[in-house]
Amino acid sequence: VSVQAQDRLGVPAVRSDTAVASGRRRRLRPGGVLVIAILVIAAILWLVPFAWAIATSLKPDAETTETPVSWTASKITFDAYDSILGRGDIFRWYFNSALVSVVVTALTVLLASMAAFAFSRVAFRGKGTLFFFVAAGLIVPFQALIVPLFEEMDTFGLVDTYWAIILPQVASPIAVLVFKRFFDGIPRELEESALVDGASTWRIYWQIWMPLARPATAAVAIFTFVVTWNNFIWPFVVTTARSLQTIPVGLSTVNSFYGAQYAQVMALAIMGALPLLIAFLLFQRQIVQGISNTGLKG
Amino acid sequence: MTASSQQTRPDVAVDVRRRGPRRGDDRERAGWTLATPFFVLYFLFLLWPVLAAAWKSLFSDSLAGGNSKWRGLGNYGELIGDSDFWAAMWHTAFFTLLSTPPLIIIPLALALLVNRVAKGQWLFRLAFFAPYVLPVSVIVLVWNWLYQPGFGLINGYLTKLGFAEVNWLGAEGTAMVSVVIATVWWTLGFNFVLFLAGLQEIPRELYDAAKTDGAKAWQQIRYITLPLLMPTTVLVIVLQVIASLKVFDQIYLLLQGGPNFSTRPAIQYIYENGFTQYRVGYASALSFVFFLLIVAISVLLFAGLRRLQTRTGEETA
């Protein structure tokens, strides 16, 4: 639900799915040298923080705070990585983040698409009211509700469990809206043959609509995964056990045990960034599309 | 959760107006069966906390236990006179005021430039969007390091170039600016991608026509691009304002709301009242007021946005 991403509030979509981040685009006239020069400088500037973090992580710890600042040290060393990998917390964080994100994503895709299918394709009483409530949820600021939500988890006895991290993040109205918009756009004839065959509504949903809904599924899944992976405030509030820390929560405690050992701190930051960064390098187009399209509607 | 929600609502299913022999009932039941699992979670974890905040705000509950006493509107009375709360609200508003202009203007400018590049657009998208996929803690660790006095990269270059060092995180005057800079670096890619998509929907023929009329590049931008991009721009502004109002993570992690509480945002104040002061009743009142404000601002902005969009729709039609 919350991303600084990230959570952006609901609006009618203004453009088709292919438009965002599309690789096939009309070319304006080729940019001048000046345009390219400005952009290259901006891009380099944008990459400097990454580069500086990497450079720092490869220095011997004693040399990280030398002045005047220098990009290089007397030698390149992986000591910092040895140290943090030896400590092993990072693997626990990877595991927790992966577990939570996979379960939240799977549940969100399943439950949101089921609800969206009902809203889009099934006539039932109370549908209008129910849908109104779900759509209204788009403007509910999740971050403002951490105190009552924590109390609720406390009542359920779920504080410091994976379920406490997972369940509230599944209740994502954005996902329902994205699926509903997709289902609304599919011609009705497709299901009528199945109706004649006497297939149950459940089978129509699962065997006809879900295979058709791959683009919507991909967008919702990518968006949900990234948002959940990066969610800080909710896991931070609802867990105190170190064994349950996700990457954002675990990394927020780094200063307390590495303090001013900047090579280690930067090595941890890089290790924390790595999974999504690699995914982003591999699936740039899909990730940009999934996040911007869903975030736009959400 | 799923098991319990699989039970349909027999009262509703039976009550359906008969349309066919059996199909109405079946579909009725199917509709509820499909929608219920999501709605149960949605009700429990999104709607219920809102109701709970409103209800709890009338008590003097404590997270530490003890008996809960009816306080009526006492919490709200306290809130109105709580200068710390209004200071925190102001910091949230100040962050929004500072972060929104650069988060509109810079990505717009970059998108305008990238849109003129024929090849390799993906490379720039990669550079500008990459920070957006990172967790906030990574952003904070890296920027905290960049902002260090003396051996931090930024101050290091400032002194190399002969400027005075800046106390980025330690001075009340600059701390919020430092957070805004880090936030711009982190989240600009999202708006950049939206602008780029908006630009690519503008028909190329318009530029061709303008060019034959002898319009210069800046004239094309001024009279074609910016007006036609208006719906996207307004939408991005609305999304940005609402996102900025919910700021907590990076301010809390980078500055803990300091120095001297000078950057503490509203959500951090709610968090502290609930989880470090254990004042659940009062924190609920704060939550509810903040919730109402965000909802009111969102509704106003989106209503305005829709009016603007229908108006520009009529004009172009």
Side-chain angles (χ1 to χ4, degrees):
Chain A
V1 182
S2 88
V3 239
Q4 156 18 314
Q6 318 227 19
D7 57 11
R8 310 272 187 163
L9 292 194
V11 270
V14 290
R15 58 181 59 88
S16 67
D17 284 41
T18 47
V20 171
S22 150
R24 306 167 284 107
R25 53 182 55 114
R26 294 178 184 165
R27 313 282 187 222
L28 293 183
R29 63 191 175 78
V33 179
L34 185 67
V35 171
I36 301 274
I38 296 173
L39 279 174
V40 167
I41 291 170
I44 289 173
L45 214 59
W46 233 249
L47 295 174
V48 160
F50 288 112
W52 183 240
I54 294 168
T56 304
S57 73
L58 297 174
K59 289 178 182 176
D61 203 55
E63 293 179 44
T64 55
T65 54
E66 275 181 1
T67 51
V69 289
S70 160
W71 284 83
T72 52
S74 57
K75 58 168 183 166
I76 289 181
T77 166
F78 289 91
D79 286 355
Y81 291 91
D82 273 351
S83 157
I84 61 160
L85 296 181
R87 207 185 147 90
D89 291 322
I90 186 85
F91 299 113
R92 186 81 214 172
W93 303 339
Y94 280 166
F95 173 80
N96 289 338
S97 280
L99 178 73
V100 167
S101 306
V102 166
V103 175
V104 168
T105 303
L107 282 177
T108 302
V109 166
L110 181 69
L111 301 193
S113 64
M114 279 164 58
F117 176 71
F119 286 135
S120 176
R121 291 293 162 177
V122 186
F124 63 98
R125 264 196 158 190
K127 174 163 114 168
T129 319
L130 208 59
F131 184 66
F132 171 81
F133 272 112
V134 172
L138 282 172
I139 53 169
V140 172
F142 180 83
Q143 294 91 328
L145 301 174
I146 48 174
V147 174
L149 202 54
F150 177 87
E151 276 230 295
E152 192 181 344
M153 287 300 167
D154 200 26
T155 314
F156 292 156
L158 288 177
V159 170
D160 262 333
T161 64
Y162 284 117
W163 287 116
I165 309 176
I166 290 168
L167 290 175
Q169 301 195 75
V170 177
S172 156
I174 300 165
V176 176
L177 257 75
V178 170
F179 273 113
K180 181 174 182 293
R181 185 179 302 277
F182 189 86
F183 288 143
D184 284 348
I186 297 180
R188 195 149 205 133
E189 296 79 58
L190 270 167
E191 84 182 295
E192 267 159 16
S193 55
L195 273 176
V196 175
D197 291 346
S200 69
T201 310
W202 172 262
R203 279 192 54 196
I204 294 173
Y205 154 77
W206 187 247
Q207 292 184 343
I208 298 180
W209 292 99
M210 280 316 274
L212 285 172
R214 286 224 180 91
T217 304
V220 169
I222 289 170
F223 178 80
T224 308
F225 191 91
V226 172
V227 166
T228 310
W229 185 276
N230 286 340
N231 189 352
F232 167 74
I233 190 168
W234 180 241
F236 169 71
V237 163
V238 84
T239 59
T240 52
R242 293 184 60 93
S243 60
L244 289 173
Q245 286 176 339
T246 56
I247 293 172
V249 179
L251 279 181
S252 74
T253 64
V254 159
N255 279 327
S256 62
F257 54 87
Y258 278 115
Q261 291 170 284
Y262 287 106
Q264 275 94 328
V265 173
M266 286 305 105
L268 271 169
I270 286 157
M271 295 301 287
L274 216 49
L276 279 194
L277 217 48
I278 291 173
F280 180 62
L281 291 175
L282 292 176
F283 307 106
Q284 194 207 155
R285 171 105 65 88
Q286 291 85 337
I287 288 178
V288 169
Q289 238 171 51
I291 291 179
S292 53
N293 275 326
T294 311
L296 199 65
K297 285 157 197 167
Chain B
M1 200 57 64
T2 326
S4 69
S5 52
Q6 292 295 349
Q7 295 161 8
T8 46
R9 301 262 311 266
D11 50 327
V12 182
V14 171
D15 205 37
V16 68
R17 269 164 268 140
R18 311 248 161 215
R19 251 175 262 122
R22 221 168 53 82
R23 180 150 291 160
D25 284 6
D26 280 0
R27 299 223 93 187
E28 186 81 9
R29 201 173 304 130
W32 279 97
T33 311
L34 286 163
T36 301
F38 177 85
F39 196 73
V40 167
L41 287 184
Y42 177 78
F43 177 81
L44 279 175
F45 302 120
L46 214 68
L47 293 186
W48 182 255
V50 176
L51 302 174
W55 177 244
K56 289 273 171 157
S57 72
L58 305 174
F59 293 86
S60 63
D61 280 25
S62 164
L63 203 60
N67 43 2
S68 123
K69 275 206 220 92
W70 174 260
R71 218 185 154 197
L73 294 175
N75 283 324
Y76 291 96
E78 183 182 341
L79 176 158
I80 287 170
D82 183 348
S83 58
D84 285 345
F85 174 63
W86 295 111
M89 293 290 275
W90 162 243
H91 301 147
T92 293
F94 187 50
F95 174 83
T96 307
L97 289 172
L98 279 184
S99 62
T100 304
L103 277 170
I104 302 301
I105 293 165
I106 301 175
L108 175 59
L110 290 174
L112 284 170
L113 291 174
V114 169
N115 197 40
R116 302 180 74 84
V117 175
K119 276 194 178 145
Q121 291 194 347
W122 68 271
L123 207 74
F124 297 112
R125 200 175 59 199
L126 187 78
F128 299 136
F129 197 82
Y132 189 81
V133 301
L134 301 185
V136 63
S137 313
V138 170
I139 309 301
V140 166
L141 289 176
V142 171
W143 280 87
N144 180 51
W145 174 224
L146 289 168
Y147 280 141
Q148 286 302 308
F151 43 82
L153 185 73
I154 298 174
N155 278 327
Y157 274 101
L158 284 179
T159 42
K160 265 187 190 171
L161 295 170
F163 293 102
E165 274 205 19
V166 175
N167 187 359
W168 293 102
L169 301 175
E172 289 191 21
T174 50
M176 190 63 102
V177 176
S178 306
V179 170
V180 168
I181 293 172
T183 305
V184 169
W185 180 77
W186 179 27
T187 64
L188 162 146
F190 184 84
N191 293 349
F192 167 76
V193 166
L194 296 188
F195 278 128
L196 200 56
L199 285 173
Q200 277 152 12
E201 290 206 335
I202 298 175
R204 188 194 177 149
E205 296 75 47
L206 288 174
Y207 294 103
D208 293 340
K211 230 182 299 177
T212 43
D213 289 349
K216 296 197 176 60
W218 68 267
Q219 285 174 318
Q220 292 177 25
I221 290 177
R222 169 75 181 76
Y223 295 106
I224 300 176
T225 314
L226 290 181
L228 285 176
L229 197 63
M230 208 50 189
T232 306
T233 311
V234 176
L235 175 67
V236 173
I237 294 173
V238 168
L239 292 174
Q240 186 56 55
V241 167
I242 294 168
S244 286
L245 286 173
K246 292 189 241 173
V247 68
F248 165 77
D249 298 359
Q250 65 269 45
I251 296 184
Y252 180 74
L253 290 173
L254 195 59
L255 299 161
Q256 295 79 48
N260 197 22
F261 304 117
S262 65
T263 59
R264 180 168 63 183
I267 290 180
Q268 188 184 338
Y269 191 64
I270 294 171
Y271 169 83
E272 286 173 354
N273 269 279
F275 298 113
T276 55
Q277 311 285 322
Y278 301 128
R279 297 189 63 197
V280 171
Y282 189 54
S284 297
L286 297 171
S287 300
F288 195 59
V289 167
F290 185 71
F291 164 83
L292 287 179
L293 274 171
I294 295 279
V295 168
I297 292 171
S298 305
V299 168
L300 276 176
L301 286 174
F302 281 120
L305 175 69
R306 187 155 305 179
R307 268 182 65 178
L308 207 99
Q309 277 173 346
T310 47
R311 213 173 51 211
T312 50
E314 280 159 13
E315 274 168 20
T316 44

